[in-house]
DNA sequence: ATCTCCTTGTTTTTT
DNA sequence: ACAAGGAGAT
């Protein structure tokens, strides 16, 4: 019996169809990864295809790693010469070799969204545009959309025609591009677009890669954008052995330029394409699948398919509505505890990252270990960006953003004024900022500051020199930078707790460097930086520990858990207000697909929850239950939604036409403009009684009762060991706990950070 | 040059 | 609620 006999007939058909275009419509949990891995194995083992000729594209690096591992297990050898990677890393790899024909140098840097924003601000300032009218984020949005559609700045300008605003945007786009080029940098969207341009301008390079990648597979095809589609079409243009796998019902990245038409029109774009549907779900119970099918049924314009399962029925999907978000979070964490499942089998999913805080708080309160995916991206943390900017400056002296970021970090007495002079000097002579730093003596009006600047550049040159040595490693470099620049000293001065977490983060970066060195024959700094630039948060998710997973619905795509909690099922939150009020009906459909993705993550147990009252952006919001819940027939739900509501009469106040009532609870008294100043007071007055003026305070009291240790208790800390609590002080947001540790001495720390555990004596 | 307070935006999602 | 950027003070 061969490994292919374990596949169902449809899966098997997909595996055996190796030549010519193939679209696999794979419903949630239908074993698409199995199909992909077996298909690769089949190509290598049965069709004797050289692994070298196979390209498999996945959505995240984590998925890539998993796929490689699974292929490794299926085929004995050769699996490591297959390209398994994301669109972005594939493009970087190609560009590193050939980008010189586009006028960049091969040590280009990659700008993340923060860098983009900084650069855009700079561009807007340089063009003397009013930032009130031309907002950085909006401009970047236009540019991103354009790039995803392969529209260059020049084409954008032509398309703008006589439209004044569009012409302005075109001007900004142009300037932004030229600044990027000056910095020898590419943004995320450039990675794809430049690769496409490279192929279009250089047929011989394209031909090389067409010959190289005779068999191409693309996972999560529903989330590809136009540029990515073009890239794939070019690569597969010669041999046409293209297999794409996806599910139109799980397309959730339209906001990022994903073009659902790519999957809906695949057959048109690739004449003669074979289409195979995988409709048997192996993941979820019947009950869960029923709910999922009911929800997604409400979308129009989808490929017709019905997911079924042979799994047992399982418990009904639960739905519970709570009075407020805190109760909701509390109930979820309690339910996890009561279920006596392993923590790692549980996931709490939410629409927005902001919702994670309450869940986290409750986990800490009940001593439930958790792991949070997302939130502030690790590589976007200040200390990480600082260290990386040093590395970037050392690796690529043309990266102005990086040089500017660190010239006065740690403080060297080089402020905005001096920097301004250097920048003026640099742009006048066409130098990069770093080159201008090196010529500080020639910068007019810099005076004594010039020497400080030169001290900095000497240091950088010194590091650069050391890097030439064979034995000098990246992690040593990081450690030396921390030490010799005085960065670490400055961190220390920031205070105990800050210092701790920041240092921990930097240590994690060092670990990353060490493992990078282990994986590469000749570790190269630019390569390290790019690897770091391309990691998503899910990639860093370590699932070996027994912890509850907290993440957004978006990050949950592709994962599965025995026990799933879908929180915040409220209209205005999920589906989001933006999508509800949008002119484009498609927007709510995308949210519905997101809901479908969420439901289908669950294997055995699913609980959906909602809160009647929730704090959002510092204001209390009252919401009704999500329309997605209404779309699931009552018989499929174990629900409390028929119970009387807390404030049935609250609709009386709902004069705004929004699906919720709004209360300004604090701070700004800016009028709700549409009502005019007179009506404004009406809105806030009527709503006040419900908003419990002291809500914030009541909240902290509740938290106080929950700390399970008090002054005088023995507690233990992960790092410091055991000790005695000397003092607990209410520091507003959190409790400040002072502990006399047996070994480590007296430490002050925040309760939620320290995760102290009570020690029974 | 650095610190402080005030204003403003942010919150939908991320490679 | 909270962070980040800008203006004005020190």
């Amino acid at each position: 019996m061969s490994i292919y006999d374990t596949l169902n007939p449809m899966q098997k058909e997909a595996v055996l169809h190796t030549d010519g275009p193939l679209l696999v419509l794979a419903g949630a949990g239908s074993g698409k990864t199995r199909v992909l891995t077996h298909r690769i194995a089949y190509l290598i083992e049965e069709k004797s295809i050289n692994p070298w000729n196979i390209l498999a594209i996945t959505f995240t690096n984590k998925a890539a790693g998993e796929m490689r591992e699974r292929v490794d297990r299926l085929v004995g050898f050769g699996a490591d010469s297959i390209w398994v990677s994301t669109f972005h890393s594939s493009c970087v790899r190609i560009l590193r070799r050939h980008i010189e024909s586009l006028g960049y140098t091969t040590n280009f840097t990659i700008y993340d969204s923060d860098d983009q924003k900084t650069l855009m601000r700079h561009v807007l300032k340089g063009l003397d545009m009013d930032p009130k009218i031309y907002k950085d984020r909006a401009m970047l949005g236009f540019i991103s959309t354009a790039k995803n559609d392969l529209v260059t700045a020049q084409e954008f300008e032509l398309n703008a025609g006589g439209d004044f605003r569009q012409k302005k945007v075109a001007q900004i786009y142009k300037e932004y591009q030229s600044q990027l080029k000056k910095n020898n940098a590419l943004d995320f969207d450039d990675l794809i677009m430049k690769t496409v341009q490279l192929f279009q301008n250089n047929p011989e390079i394209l031909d090389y890669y067409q010959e190289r990648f005779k068999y191409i597979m693309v996972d999560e095809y529903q989330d590809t954008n136009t540029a990515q589609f073009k890239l794939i079409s070019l690569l597969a243009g010669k041999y046409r052995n293209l297999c794409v796998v996806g599910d139109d019902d799980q397309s959730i990245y339209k906001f990022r330029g994903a073009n659902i038409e790519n999957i809906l029109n695949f057959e048109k774009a690739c004449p003669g394409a074979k289409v195979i549907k995988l409709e048997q779900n192996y993941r979820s119970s019947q009950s869960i699948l029923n709910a999922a099918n009911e929800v997604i049924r409400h979308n129009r314009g989808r490929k017709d398919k019905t997911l079924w399962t042979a799994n047992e029925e399982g418990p009904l999907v639960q739905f519970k509505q709570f009075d407020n978000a805190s109760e909701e979070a509390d109930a979820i964490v309690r339910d996890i505890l009561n279920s006596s499942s392993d923590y790692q089998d549980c996931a709490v999913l939410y629409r927005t990252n902001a919702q994670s805080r309450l869940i986290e708080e409750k986990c800490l309160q009940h001593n439930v270990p958790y792991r949070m995916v997302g939130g502030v991206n690790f590589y976007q943390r200040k200390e990480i960006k600082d260290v990386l900017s040093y590395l970037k400056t050392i690796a690529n002296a043309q990266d102005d953003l990086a040089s500017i970021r660190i010239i006065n970090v740690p403080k060297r007495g080089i402020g905005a004024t001096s920097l301004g002079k250097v920048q003026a000097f640099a742009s006048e002579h066409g130098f990069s900022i770093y080159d201008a730093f090196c010529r500080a003596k020639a910068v007019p009006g810099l005076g004594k500051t010039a020497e400080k600047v030169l001290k900095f550049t000497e240091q950088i040159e010194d590091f650069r020199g050391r890097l030439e040595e064979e034995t000098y490693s990246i992690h040593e470099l990081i450690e030396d930078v921390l030490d010799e620049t005085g960065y670490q000293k400055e961190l220390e001065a920031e205070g105990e707790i800050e210092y701790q977490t920041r240092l921990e983060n930097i240590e994690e970066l060092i670990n990353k460097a060490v493992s990078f060195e282990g994986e590469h024959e000749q570790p190269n700094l630019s390569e390290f930086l790019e690897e770091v630039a391309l990691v998503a948060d899910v990639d860093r998710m370590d699932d070996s520990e027994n912890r509850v997973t907290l993440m957004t619905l978006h990050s949950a795509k592709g994962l599965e858990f025995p026990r799933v909690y879908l929180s915040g099922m409220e209209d205005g939150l999920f589906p989001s207000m933006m999508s509800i009020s949008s002119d484009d009906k498609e927007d709510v459909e995308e949210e519905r697909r997101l809901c479908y993705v969420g439901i289908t993550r669950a294997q055995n147990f699913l609980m959906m929850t909602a809160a009647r009252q929730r704090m959002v952006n510092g204001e209390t919001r009252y919401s009704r239950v999500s329309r997605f819940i209404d779309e699931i027939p009552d018989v499929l739900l174990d629900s409390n939604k028929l119970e009387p509501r807390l404030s049935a009469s609250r609709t009386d106040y709902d004069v705004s036409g929004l699906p919720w009532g709004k209360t300004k609870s604090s701070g700004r008294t800016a009028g709700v403009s549409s009502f005019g100043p007179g009506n404004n007071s009406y809105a806030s007055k009527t709503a006040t009684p419900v908003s419990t003026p002291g809500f914030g305070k009541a909240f902290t009291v509740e938290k106080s009762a929950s700390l399970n240790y008090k002054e005088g208790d023995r507690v233990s800390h992960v790092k410091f060991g055991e000790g005695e609590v000397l003092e607990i002080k209410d520091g507003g947001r959190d409790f400040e706990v002072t502990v006399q540790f047996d070994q480590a001495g007296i430490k002050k720390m925040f309760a939620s950070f320290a995760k102290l555990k009570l020690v029974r004596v």
Side-chain angles (χ1 to χ4, degrees):
Chain A
M1 184 164 136
S2 85
I3 52 168
Y4 310 105
D5 293 333
T6 60
L7 300 165
N8 74 30
M10 283 296 135
Q11 293 175 331
K12 199 164 176 176
E13 205 179 330
V15 167
L16 301 188
H17 182 96
T18 53
D19 289 7
L22 168 68
L23 166 64
V24 181
L25 284 169
S30 62
K32 74 185 160 102
T33 314
R34 271 191 91 212
V35 167
L36 280 173
T37 49
H38 281 75
R39 201 166 178 277
I40 295 174
Y42 183 78
L43 282 170
I44 297 172
E45 300 207 312
E46 307 295 324
K47 305 279 275 184
S48 305
I49 304 298
N50 188 339
W52 172 263
N53 290 130
I54 300 175
L55 169 67
I57 293 187
T58 60
F59 198 66
T60 64
N61 292 304
K62 185 164 193 273
E66 271 165 19
M67 181 166 306
R68 161 153 281 140
E69 223 170 86
R70 287 172 72 166
V71 174
D72 251 330
R73 254 180 279 147
L74 283 177
V75 295
F77 60 96
D80 36 327
S81 43
I82 310 170
W83 267 40
V84 188
S85 65
T86 63
F87 270 107
H88 295 270
S89 14
S90 304
C91 288
V92 171
R93 248 168 111 173
I94 293 169
L95 290 173
R96 284 275 179 232
R97 284 187 60 176
H98 305 285
I99 200 168
E100 289 192 341
S101 67
L102 293 174
Y104 293 74
T105 60
T106 52
N107 58 344
F108 62 86
T109 38
I110 301 163
Y111 277 6
D112 68 14
S113 40
D114 271 359
D115 302 330
Q116 289 184 47
K117 221 163 129 187
T118 314
L119 184 66
M120 180 52 78
R121 290 218 188 95
H122 177 74
V123 165
L124 290 173
K125 208 177 255 172
L127 291 174
D128 217 14
M129 303 258 189
D130 183 354
K132 289 260 154 61
I133 302 168
Y134 300 96
K135 303 224 171 106
D136 44 13
R137 276 193 52 206
M139 294 307 118
L140 286 170
F142 285 128
I143 293 174
S144 177
T145 311
K147 287 182 178 176
N148 287 331
D149 288 334
L150 293 171
V151 177
T152 63
Q154 286 70 33
E155 287 161 344
F156 195 101
E157 191 171 33
L158 288 176
N159 294 343
D163 187 317
F164 177 76
R165 207 181 144 81
Q166 286 294 98
K167 262 158 67 183
K168 284 282 188 197
V169 178
Q171 197 187 344
I172 293 166
Y173 184 4
K174 250 189 187 164
E175 179 59 20
Y176 173 77
Q177 263 336 94
S178 82
Q179 290 285 336
L180 274 176
K181 188 150 185 187
K182 212 184 96 211
N183 289 351
N184 197 29
L186 302 181
D187 64 20
F188 280 124
D189 302 315
D190 277 337
L191 294 176
I192 314 290
M193 186 167 169
K194 294 289 174 195
T195 311
V196 170
Q197 286 175 352
L198 176 80
F199 286 158
Q200 285 173 331
N201 299 342
N202 304 77
E204 71 291 349
I205 297 177
L206 173 60
D207 190 68
Y208 170 82
Y209 284 101
Q210 284 176 333
E211 285 296 331
R212 163 97 201 238
F213 301 126
K214 293 195 173 102
Y215 290 86
I216 301 175
M217 271 157 270
V218 184
D219 194 9
E220 308 281 10
Y221 185 68
Q222 74 280 355
D223 288 321
T224 53
N225 61 38
T226 304
Q228 290 164 336
F229 171 76
K230 184 70 192 173
L231 182 73
I232 289 300
S233 315
L234 284 168
L235 279 175
K238 192 161 179 181
Y239 289 96
R240 301 189 80 236
N241 297 323
L242 171 64
C243 165
V244 301
V245 182
D247 179 3
D248 51 310
D249 288 334
Q250 293 188 62
S251 158
I252 56 175
Y253 283 105
K254 188 176 151 203
F255 72 92
R256 206 170 74 193
N259 186 352
I260 196 168
E261 303 298 319
N262 284 348
I263 196 164
L264 295 177
N265 294 333
F266 184 79
E267 294 148 89
K268 260 187 227 154
C270 296
K274 178 158 179 86
V275 181
I276 294 173
K277 288 183 194 172
L278 304 180
E279 293 175 304
Q280 180 175 3
N281 171 295
Y282 295 93
R283 180 186 293 150
S284 309
S285 72
Q286 188 72 62
S287 301
I288 290 167
L289 210 55
N290 286 343
N293 279 332
E294 287 298 331
V295 170
I296 201 66
R297 205 165 56 84
H298 289 78
N299 269 6
R300 316 231 133 249
R302 48 189 286 263
K303 292 244 178 191
D304 181 50
K305 68 180 125 46
T306 320
L307 222 47
W308 61 277
T309 185
N311 292 348
E312 56 185 72
E313 191 171 326
L316 275 182
V317 172
Q318 292 197 27
F319 172 73
K320 290 206 159 69
Q321 189 182 22
F322 300 92
D323 284 339
N324 60 57
S326 176
E327 281 179 28
E328 178 195 33
D330 195 70
I332 290 174
V333 176
R334 280 175 195 280
D335 193 81
I336 291 174
L337 280 169
N338 286 338
S339 74
S340 66
S341 353
D342 276 342
Y343 293 133
Q344 62 197 353
D345 288 344
C346 306
V348 184
L349 309 181
Y350 36 80
R351 178 66 234 270
T352 68
N353 275 310
Q355 291 166 252
S356 69
R357 241 204 44 228
L358 273 177
I359 314 270
E360 265 191 286
E361 241 162 70
K362 294 295 171 187
C363 281
L364 287 165
Q365 216 176 85
H366 294 282
N367 268 319
V368 170
Y370 65 91
R371 134 190 62 230
M372 210 176 81
V373 178
V376 186
N377 190 326
F378 175 77
Y379 292 102
Q380 274 164 247
R381 305 242 163 97
K382 179 183 171 297
E383 61 277 15
I384 300 298
K385 292 216 76 168
D386 288 341
V387 174
L388 289 178
S389 292
Y390 268 100
L391 301 188
K392 280 182 187 172
T393 306
I394 295 167
N396 171 20
Q398 286 179 67
D399 190 343
D400 290 354
L401 245 45
S403 315
I404 291 169
R405 187 184 174 98
I406 54 168
I407 183 65
N408 203 25
V409 176
K411 298 212 166 58
R412 296 186 175 88
I414 305 164
T417 332
S418 308
L419 186 58
K421 288 172 192 158
V422 177
Q423 278 178 299
F425 174 79
S427 69
E428 192 186 329
H429 295 86
F431 292 143
S432 72
I433 296 292
Y434 182 80
D435 286 340
F437 283 157
C438 293
R439 297 168 172 83
K441 282 258 152 58
V443 177
L446 211 52
K448 272 212 209 129
T449 320
E451 275 153 45
K452 298 180 192 162
V453 174
L454 286 176
K455 236 171 114 187
F456 165 79
T457 56
E458 276 162 28
Q459 216 168 17
I460 296 292
E461 293 303 327
D462 184 21
F463 287 130
R464 214 173 268 168
R466 277 182 240 179
L467 215 50
E468 303 284 308
E469 293 165 33
E470 280 289 309
T471 53
Y472 194 68
S473 63
I474 297 172
H475 79 267
E476 281 176 276
L477 175 66
I478 299 177
E479 283 164 356
D480 288 349
V481 166
L482 286 174
D483 183 39
E484 291 170 33
T485 60
Y487 187 80
Q488 188 158 356
K489 274 242 169 61
E490 194 171 79
L491 273 190
E492 278 171 36
E494 263 187 44
E496 190 80 33
I497 305 136
E498 279 290 279
Y499 173 62
Q500 269 239 224
T501 41
R502 290 194 191 279
L503 203 64
E504 271 169 31
N505 287 335
I506 294 178
E507 261 160 31
E508 201 173 327
L509 183 71
I510 294 176
N511 289 341
K512 173 85 193 164
V514 172
S515 64
F516 177 84
E517 287 154 12
E519 287 160 19
H520 296 257
E521 295 272 311
Q522 306 152 296
N524 162 297
L525 186 56
S526 294
E527 276 171 29
F528 173 68
L529 287 171
E530 117 205 347
E531 189 165 308
V532 154
L534 294 176
V535 259
D537 266 298
V538 254
D539 302 335
R540 305 192 325 114
M541 190 173 111
D542 171 14
D543 29 26
S544 62
E545 275 178 283
N546 189 16
R547 292 165 180 277
V548 174
T549 303
L550 271 45
M551 62 181 153
T552 63
L553 287 153
H554 281 87
S555 328
K557 193 176 72 162
L559 306 176
E560 58 183 19
F561 300 89
R563 212 176 168 83
V564 169
Y565 298 82
L566 250 169
S567 68
M569 299 298 299
E570 297 139 39
D571 247 40
L573 182 64
F574 188 32
S576 75
M577 193 51 217
M578 291 267 252
S579 65
I580 295 174
S581 49
S582 161
D583 304 329
D584 191 348
K585 286 209 185 71
E586 294 255 307
D587 288 357
V588 175
E589 297 215 340
E590 174 139 321
E591 299 273 313
R592 188 174 284 109
R593 291 193 292 267
L594 191 55
C595 182
Y596 176 78
V597 167
I599 295 174
T600 53
R601 296 312 95 195
Q603 295 173 310
N604 313 315
F605 174 90
L606 173 66
M607 184 192 280
M608 304 208 254
T609 60
R612 295 184 176 90
Q613 190 188 74
R614 178 187 301 276
M615 288 284 266
V616 178
N617 290 356
E619 62 190 17
T620 309
R621 209 147 94 166
Y622 300 89
S623 322
R624 63 156 212 258
V625 169
S626 169
R627 61 193 66 189
F628 301 147
I629 295 292
D630 295 335
E631 288 166 4
I632 305 172
D634 287 345
V635 291
L636 293 178
L637 283 180
D638 174 0
S639 131
N640 74 350
K641 80 173 163 181
L642 299 177
E643 284 173 26
R645 302 227 171 144
L646 175 66
S647 50
S649 60
R650 71 136 189 96
T651 35
D652 297 350
Y653 309 133
D654 194 351
V655 287
S656 60
L658 300 171
W660 60 68
K662 261 192 168 180
T663 311
K664 291 274 177 193
S665 61
S666 69
R668 272 168 289 171
T669 39
V672 179
S673 54
S674 55
F675 301 136
N679 288 334
N680 188 14
S681 60
Y682 167 72
S684 54
K685 225 189 259 164
T686 47
T688 309
V690 211
S691 87
T692 31
F695 184 71
K697 214 167 185 191
F699 182 67
T700 15
V701 170
E702 187 185 359
K703 226 172 114 190
S704 150
S706 73
L707 277 185
N708 67 348
Y709 47 85
K710 55 184 190 304
E711 293 177 10
D713 277 347
R714 298 271 304 162
V715 292
S716 82
H717 182 273
V718 211
K719 274 235 164 82
F720 303 141
E722 290 193 10
E724 185 185 331
V725 180
L726 295 181
E727 193 190 9
I728 300 180
K729 230 168 57 190
D730 190 343
R733 273 224 56 63
D734 203 343
F735 292 97
E736 215 178 284
V737 186
T738 316
V739 183
Q740 164 83 59
F741 286 104
D742 300 344
Q743 258 86 58
I746 297 179
K747 302 267 177 197
K748 254 188 201 176
M749 55 195 77
F750 284 116
S752 64
F753 261 118
K755 303 177 190 173
L756 295 166
K757 288 211 175 82
L758 181 64
V759 180
R760 313 251 167 234
V761 199

